[in-house]
Amino acid sequence: MLKIEHIGIAVKNIGQSNELFTKLFNKTPYKLEKVESEGVSTSFFMLGESKIELLEATNPESAIAKFIDKKGEGIHHIAFEVQDIYAEMERLKNEGFTLLNEQPKKGADNKLICFLHPKSSNGVLVELCQEIK
Ligand code: CMX
């Protein structure tokens, strides 16, 4: 794995949270994007080499809606950039981690992504991501 690409934070109201995090970071998000396949509305803030992604659910079945119902707002996942997502998925599967998707899928911010089940990584929802070139 190369670096922390972003940290995902689940929020109830992305409009209000964009204002809050704009004050916190003293900068505005560089991207707002809806990913219907994941049931999320997102915004991204660039902080040096890493990013913060805010996520609001767009429907009650969304992973973000379930997370907020159960745990409330807060850190939802950590995303790590990888060089070759196919090779990394194969490696982690062989190491015994549970992949939540068998093939990489298209995520926000022009990335191929794969999640690992938090039960197989000490309660942390891990995302692998690779930029689509
Ligand atoms: N971090 C840590 N633990 C989490 C979690 C999270 N983000 N989300 C759920 N869990 C925990 C639950 O609390 C539960 O723990 P307990 O059994 O101790 O109560 C356990 O994981 C399993 O929960 P579950 O009820 O079986 O499964 P859920 O329906 O809550 O789904 C998960 C959990 C991770 C499988 C699902 O959220 C998922 O598939 N996530 C990947 C996709 C995703 O998160 N998409 C949104 C972001 C997209 C983007 O970044 O663009």
Side-chain angles (χ1 to χ4, degrees):
M1 292 196 195
L2 300 174
K3 65 168 189 180
I4 293 179
E5 212 282 333
H6 66 265
I7 294 175
I9 299 176
V11 302
K12 288 182 181 164
N13 181 316
I14 201 159
Q16 284 174 8
S17 295
N18 281 338
E19 284 180 26
L20 183 75
F21 280 81
T22 294
K23 283 186 206 154
L24 181 68
F25 300 142
N26 200 20
K27 57 171 69 172
T28 52
Y30 69 89
K31 185 183 270 192
L32 306 177
E33 185 180 355
K34 237 181 208 175
V35 186
E36 284 301 350
S37 53
E38 291 291 318
V40 293
S41 224
T42 68
S43 62
F44 285 87
F45 293 81
M46 184 76 76
L47 293 172
E49 282 218 331
S50 304
K51 300 161 186 167
I52 297 293
E53 176 186 26
L54 304 183
L55 302 124
E56 181 193 301
T58 56
N59 68 67
E61 296 310 310
S62 157
I64 299 302
K66 288 187 189 162
F67 179 84
I68 288 180
D69 280 352
K70 202 161 182 185
K71 301 191 188 225
E73 293 177 299
I75 294 181
H76 177 257
H77 64 267
I78 304 181
F80 298 93
E81 185 177 324
V82 298
Q83 204 152 26
D84 177 345
I85 196 165
Y86 293 92
E88 204 61 359
M89 285 169 68
E90 186 64 21
R91 183 182 76 79
L92 293 170
K93 197 173 169 182
N94 290 335
E95 292 285 8
F97 293 93
T98 306
L99 306 185
L100 285 170
N101 40 294
E102 283 295 321
Q103 291 296 321
K105 52 184 182 174
K106 172 112 177 43
D109 205 27
N110 195 39
K111 296 279 192 296
L112 282 178
I113 62 171
C114 175
F115 284 93
L116 309 186
H117 199 286
K119 288 284 175 198
S120 71
S121 44
N122 283 178
V124 177
L125 177 58
V126 171
E127 177 184 345
L128 310 176
C129 61
Q130 181 184 350
E131 186 151 11
I132 301 171
K133 294 209 171 128

